[in-house]
Amino acid sequence: DGRHMCKLCSTSMVNSKTRKEESLNLILSFFSNMSLKLPTERITVSLVDRETLQNSVMHIPSHNKETVKGITILNNNDYVIEVMWGLNKIEFEAVLAHELLHVWIDYNNIKLNESKLEGFCNLGSAMIYKYYNNQLSNVLLKSLEQNKDAIYGRGYKYMNSLLEIHGWDSLLSIVKKSNED
């Protein structure tokens, strides 16, 4: 699909059902430990090619179809998460954690403006980067922290500041309560 993969990334790419399930189970374990409950029976994770993913996001103006790596689609009360196949394991898990937080937000019927929504979901990506704490994950985390995008960058900085002040338990309560304000 036009992407080039180096040998380092190709050895840890997510391109099979087994690797996808291992990554999904890791993230679900993290979320479970945070008391972040997801309707797992209603979630399907699909590995898709670049063109399929780009076609899925064409109607969403805030997504850059050239750089998008994942999307969550609500389909008859089920969640279909599409993630580009062939991503490095760390990047795949960061994208998947981000998309699973979209599911949690929707499942709990939480309404956030776009910046807070994407910023909150980017906390999932940051969680994965911090978990691995290696050269690649540190580069990806730094990129996330320095993102100047009005929605993804500023939203992440705002939500991350709340996370640093309150911790995950309180932040989840704050986000849930935001509907009441």
Side-chain angles (χ1 to χ4, degrees), residues 16 26 28 38 72-73 84 87 110 113 115 124-125 149-150 169:
S16 69
L26 175 73
L28 291 176
L38 291 166
T72 300
I73 302 164
M84 191 180 320
L87 296 177
I110 296 168
N113 70 36
S115 179
S125 298
D149 183 83
D169 289 342

Side-chain angles (χ1 to χ4, degrees), residues 16-32:
S16 69
K17 182 177 180 181
T18 302
R19 285 191 172 181
K20 175 186 74 172
E21 294 299 322
E22 288 170 357
S23 292
L24 176 61
N25 289 334
L26 175 73
I27 297 164
L28 291 176
S29 173
F30 287 157
F31 286 174
S32 177

Side-chain angles (χ1 to χ4, degrees), residues 3-16:
R3 292 180 287 156
H4 299 280
M5 310 237 176
C6 70
K7 190 171 188 161
L8 175 67
C9 290
S10 66
T11 59
S12 67
M13 80 169 59
V14 176
N15 60 354
S16 69

Side-chain angles (χ1 to χ4, degrees), residues 65-181:
K65 73 177 196 126
E66 295 303 318
T67 59
V68 69
K69 294 177 182 150
I71 187 170
T72 300
I73 302 164
L74 181 60
N75 183 12
N76 294 324
N77 293 321
D78 289 328
Y79 299 95
V80 177
I81 298 175
E82 293 181 350
V83 181
M84 191 180 320
W85 73 269
L87 296 177
N88 172 283
K89 179 180 177 171
I90 295 170
E91 196 170 17
F92 173 82
E93 289 176 1
V95 171
L96 184 55
H98 177 105
E99 297 305 327
L100 286 167
L101 287 178
H102 275 291
V103 170
W104 182 80
I105 290 284
D106 184 80
Y107 184 71
N108 287 285
N109 199 30
I110 296 168
K111 306 295 181 218
L112 298 172
N113 70 36
E114 197 170 23
S115 179
K116 288 179 181 175
L117 171 65
E118 296 300 342
F120 178 78
C121 294
N122 270 346
L123 293 176
S125 298
M127 176 188 70
I128 295 297
Y129 299 148
K130 291 173 184 175
Y131 170 75
Y132 282 102
N133 191 26
N134 61 26
Q135 188 173 1
L136 175 61
S137 65
N138 291 333
V139 166
L140 293 169
L141 180 60
K142 188 174 182 179
S143 175
L144 184 63
E145 291 170 343
Q146 294 177 349
N147 186 335
K148 296 188 185 321
D149 183 83
I151 295 169
Y152 289 86
R154 274 194 244 149
Y156 170 73
K157 287 176 186 74
Y158 174 75
M159 286 300 194
N160 192 50
S161 68
L162 290 180
L163 177 61
E164 288 174 356
I165 293 167
H166 300 286
W168 273 107
D169 289 342
S170 294
L171 178 59
L172 295 176
S173 295
I174 290 168
V175 169
K176 282 182 175 179
K177 190 178 178 200
S178 69
N179 281 351
E180 300 168 9
D181 295 339

